[in-house]
Amino acid sequence: MENKNLQQGLLPRHVRMMAIGGMIGAGMFKGSSDTLSLAGPSVVFAYLSGGILLLVIMGALAEMAGVYAKADIRELIKKAFGTRASFVMGWLYWINWVLVMAVEIVAAGTFIQYWFPAAPLWLLSLLVALAILVVNLSNVKYYGEVEFWISAVKVMALVSFIVLGGSLLTGVFSGNHVSHFTNYTIHGGFFPKGWHGLFSSLLVVMFSYGGSELIGLTITETKDAGRVLPKIINGIMWRVILFYTLPLLVICGLIPWDEVSGKASPFVQVLASVGLKDAAELMNFIMLTAVFSAANSGMYATSRMLYSLAKNGDAPAVFERTSKNGVPIFGLVASAVCLFIGVIAAYITPANVFHVLMGIPGFTVMLVWISICLAQLKLRSTYPAAPLFTLRFFPLSTLFTACSLLIIFLTILFDPNNKVSSLLCIGIVIFLLICAGIRPEKKHRKNSGSTFTVGK
C-alpha cells in the first residue's frame, strides 16, 4: 500500500450519474413526506427556489473549475481565504457526507422494512452499509459503472412515475374522469401552512439538493472541462429540479397532502392508494436502489475528501495511501466506521434518528454553498487566465445567491423546531474553528491540489 495516487477511471457519463445519484436519494423519496407535512403542496415553490439558487452555485463552481483545472472545492476555498478556511470547510464537507450517508442507510433500512416489517431497522441498515463498503473497495472504474446503472434506474423510475401519475390525474388510464385537482385547493389550499411552513421546509429541501457539488470532486480533471462542465451542469440541474417538483405535484394531486404518512415513502403510499399495489412493490425497490446510490456517492466523496485533506497536510498522512486498485483505503475505512455509527444511532432512536440526522447536513451543505459563492466573488478579479465558462449576471447573481442562502440559513438556525439540529451544527462548526485556530500553519505541499481524477 505504498501507492499514493488515485486511478483515472471515471468517464464523463459516470460523473453525470454520480451527481444525480448524490442528489436524488433519501431527501427525495423519504424526506418529501416531511416537507409535505411542513408546507403542503406549496413545497413545490421551495424546491423551485432552491433549484434556482443551486444553478448559480453550480455555475460559479463551473467557472472556477475552468480556471483552476486541478482544484477541488477545498482547494478553491484555500486559494480564496487561506489554509485555515479550507481546513474548516474540508472537514465540514466530510462530516456533511458522513451524516448524509447515515441518513441514506437508515432510509434504505426503512424501505427494506416494507417487505420485512419484523426485522429491526439497525440490522437492515447495517447490511446496506456493508454492501456500500464492498462496492467502494473495488477500482474506481467499476464503482463508476455500478453508480451509472443504479442512477439510471431511478431516473427511469421517476420519469415513469411522473407519466403514470399524470395519466391517473387526468383519468387517461383509469377511465375515471373525476378530477383529482381539487386536492390542490381543499385541505387548507395550496399554502395550508402559510409562508412560515414554506420556509420551515427549506432545511429538508436544501438537504435534498445536497450532492450536486460532488461534480467539483470529479470533473475538474476531465479533458475539455470548459466545454463539458457547463453541459453537464445545465442538463443535470434542470432535470433534477423537474424530478423534484413534478412528482410532488403528482403526489399532492392523487392523495391529500395531510394524509401522507411519514412511516412509508409518499411514492409507495400514492401507488397503493390508487390500487397499484404491485407497482408500489416495484417503486419501493427502486427507492431502495436510489438511497443506496446516494450513500454510495457519499462514500466516494468522504474517502476522496480525506485523501485531499491528507495531501494538503490537514489530515493524517495515512489517509493519503491507496490500495493497488487506486482506492484510498484508510480514508474509506474511516468513513465506513462513521457510517456504522449511523447504524448504531438507528438502533438507539429509530423513531427520531431520520429527522435529526437530516437536519444537520441541511445546515452544513448551505455553509459549503455559501463558501463557493464567496470564493468566486474573491477570486474572479485574480484569475490567472480567462475562464472557459462565465456565470451570467455576475456579480449580482452570486451576491443574491449568497445573501439568500445566508438568510435561509439564519432563519432555519433559529427555528425552534430545529433546536437539536441547530445546536449540533453550531457545535461542529465551533469545534472545527478551534482546531483550525490551534493547528500550526503548514507550508504549501507540492501537488497539494485536488487529485480527484476523471478519465476520458
Side-chain angles (χ1 to χ4, degrees), residues 284-296:
N284 196 67
F285 170 76
I286 292 169
M287 289 184 298
L288 175 60
T289 63
V291 295
F292 181 90
S293 169
N296 203 32

Side-chain angles (χ1 to χ4, degrees), residues 145-447:
E145 202 65 31
V146 170
E147 185 61 30
F148 174 84
W149 288 108
I150 292 177
S151 297
V153 168
K154 61 181 165 185
V155 168
M156 290 186 290
L158 281 175
V159 172
S160 299
F161 180 84
I162 293 169
V163 173
L164 176 61
S167 300
L168 291 171
L169 277 172
T170 56
V172 172
F173 285 167
S174 64
N176 183 2
H177 297 289
V178 176
S179 175
H180 291 277
F181 293 103
T182 54
N183 283 332
Y184 296 129
T185 55
I186 60 176
H187 303 280
F190 207 81
F191 289 84
K193 299 294 185 70
W195 291 104
H196 179 267
L198 185 63
F199 275 102
S200 297
S201 69
L202 284 172
L203 179 60
V204 182
V205 170
M206 292 303 174
F207 163 79
S208 301
Y209 279 133
S212 56
E213 72 290 329
L214 185 62
I215 292 178
L217 301 182
T218 58
I219 197 65
T220 51
E221 293 188 15
T222 304
K223 288 186 178 180
D224 300 323
R227 177 180 60 83
V228 173
L229 191 54
K231 291 181 180 179
I232 291 178
I233 289 175
N234 290 331
I236 286 177
M237 289 314 305
W238 286 114
R239 286 182 179 89
V240 169
I241 292 172
L242 292 176
F243 286 161
Y244 271 99
T245 56
L246 294 181
L248 287 172
L249 286 173
V250 168
I251 291 170
C252 291
L254 291 177
I255 60 175
W257 68 270
D258 52 359
E259 293 182 12
V260 175
S261 169
K263 294 182 179 180
S265 169
F267 291 80
V268 175
Q269 294 177 58
V270 165
L271 294 175
S273 70
V274 297
L276 298 175
K277 183 171 178 55
D278 292 339
E281 296 273 355
L282 177 60
M283 197 67 196
N284 196 67
F285 170 76
I286 292 169
M287 289 184 298
L288 175 60
T289 63
V291 295
F292 181 90
S293 169
N296 203 32
S297 296
M299 185 64 77
Y300 173 88
T302 52
S303 60
R304 268 59 178 186
M305 179 55 76
L306 281 180
Y307 179 88
S308 179
L309 286 165
K311 278 279 188 180
N312 195 58
D314 290 333
V318 68
F319 294 135
E320 193 178 349
R321 297 181 182 180
T322 60
S323 68
K324 63 180 181 179
N325 291 328
V327 176
I329 187 68
F330 290 104
L332 186 64
V333 170
S335 299
V337 169
C338 294
L339 179 58
F340 294 147
I341 293 175
V343 176
I344 296 174
Y347 174 69
I348 296 174
T349 56
N352 303 320
V353 64
F354 187 83
H355 179 74
V356 174
L357 288 177
M358 184 178 284
I360 301 171
F363 288 114
T364 57
V365 77
M366 275 190 282
L367 290 175
V368 172
W369 290 350
I370 291 171
S371 298
I372 292 173
C373 292
L374 296 179
Q376 189 211 17
L377 289 169
K378 178 75 178 296
L379 293 174
R380 170 64 88 90
S381 62
T382 63
Y383 285 167
L388 300 173
F389 164 78
T390 56
L391 180 66
R392 293 183 180 182
F393 309 116
F394 179 89
L396 294 179
S397 57
T398 306
L399 283 170
F400 174 79
T401 300
C403 291
S404 298
L405 288 171
L406 182 60
I407 292 172
I408 295 171
F409 177 81
L410 293 176
T411 301
I412 297 173
L413 187 68
F414 294 105
D415 188 334
N417 295 326
N418 302 318
K419 183 177 180 180
V420 176
S421 298
S422 298
L423 290 174
L424 287 173
C425 180
I426 293 172
I428 291 170
V429 173
I430 291 175
F431 174 75
L432 290 176
L433 288 172
I434 293 173
C435 291
I438 62 177
R439 66 184 286 276
E441 285 285 355
K442 299 180 182 292
K443 294 182 179 180
H444 180 73
R445 293 178 58 178
K446 186 177 180 180
N447 297 326

